[in-house]
């Protein structure tokens, strides 16, 4: 947030020789961070979009990918191994549960998960990180 004009240079400064990242992950679902996830890559890097987007297309300049042979792809879901690794990390105290619980910014019943949960992520990105969909009453 503090590096509006020089965000890419600041990000790249964290990489070896400031050439950019091998991979980036955009989790916000807003145009500027999607673009930055591509701009912060090194040549032949891969940008993965994992955010929930509203049904609004954005303009993309394909030359930002083509010129440096970068790849942009998406990923929507987790696999069982992802959950197992997080549970193991929580169990081993590699992740502090008190810190992690602040990432859950909403909780919705399974029957309301799409209509309310996903809509909450789409309509209120600025105040949500993750919503939890549960079969339990909330």
């Amino acid at each position: 947030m503090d590096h509006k004009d020089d965000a890419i240079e600041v990000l790249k400064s964290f990489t070896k020789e400031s050439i950019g990242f091998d991979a980036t992950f955009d989790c916000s679902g807003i145009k500027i961070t999607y673009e930055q996830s591509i701009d912060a890559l090194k040549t032949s890097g891969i940008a993965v979009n994992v955010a929930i987007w509203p049904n609004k297309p954005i303009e993309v300049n394909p030359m930002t990918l083509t010129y440096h042979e970068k790849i942009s792809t998406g990923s929507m879901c987790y696999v069982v191994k992802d959950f197992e690794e997080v549970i193991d990390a929580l169990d081993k105290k590699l992740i502090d549960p008190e810190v992690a619980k602040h990432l859950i910014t909403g909780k919705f019943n399974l029957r309301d998960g799409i209509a309310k949960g996903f809509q909450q992520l789409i309509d209120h990105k600025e105040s949500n990180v993750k919503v939890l969909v549960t079969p339990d009453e909330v």
Side-chain angles (χ1 to χ4, degrees):
M1 297 292 290
D2 295 333
H3 301 282
K4 292 184 189 330
D5 295 331
D6 63 344
I8 301 307
E9 290 78 23
V10 171
L11 287 169
K12 284 184 172 184
S13 74
F14 293 112
T15 67
K16 187 177 180 181
E17 299 178 19
S18 297
I19 62 170
F21 295 92
D22 293 318
T24 59
F25 297 84
D26 173 37
C27 304
S28 70
I30 57 175
K31 183 179 191 278
I32 187 69
T33 57
Y34 173 74
E35 291 170 344
Q36 290 171 338
S37 74
I38 293 170
D39 293 341
L41 291 170
K42 69 179 190 178
T43 297
S44 75
I46 183 167
V48 182
N49 180 61
V50 294
I52 300 290
W53 285 79
N55 192 16
K56 296 179 190 171
I58 62 168
E59 221 175 271
V60 177
N61 180 355
M63 284 308 294
T64 61
L65 298 168
T66 305
Y67 187 64
H68 290 283
E69 297 183 349
K70 297 175 181 180
I71 298 167
S72 177
T73 189
S75 179
M76 183 60 183
C77 297
Y78 305 100
V79 295
V80 171
K81 184 178 183 234
D82 297 327
F83 290 101
E84 291 170 346
E85 289 175 354
V86 169
I87 291 168
D88 185 54
L90 285 163
D91 184 54
K92 291 178 178 173
K93 308 287 189 247
L94 299 172
I95 299 173
D96 181 350
E98 290 302 310
V99 173
K101 76 179 184 181
H102 294 290
L103 296 174
I104 300 171
T105 53
K107 193 172 181 181
F108 298 91
N109 183 273
L110 187 58
R111 71 178 161 272
D112 299 324
I114 292 176
K116 292 184 181 174
F118 281 105
Q119 204 59 48
Q120 183 76 343
L121 289 170
I122 290 168
D123 293 341
H124 303 286
K125 288 181 178 298
E126 70 287 346
S127 59
N128 283 288
V129 178
K130 295 289 177 193
V131 298
L132 189 64
V133 178
T134 176
D136 300 328
E137 290 299 319
V138 287

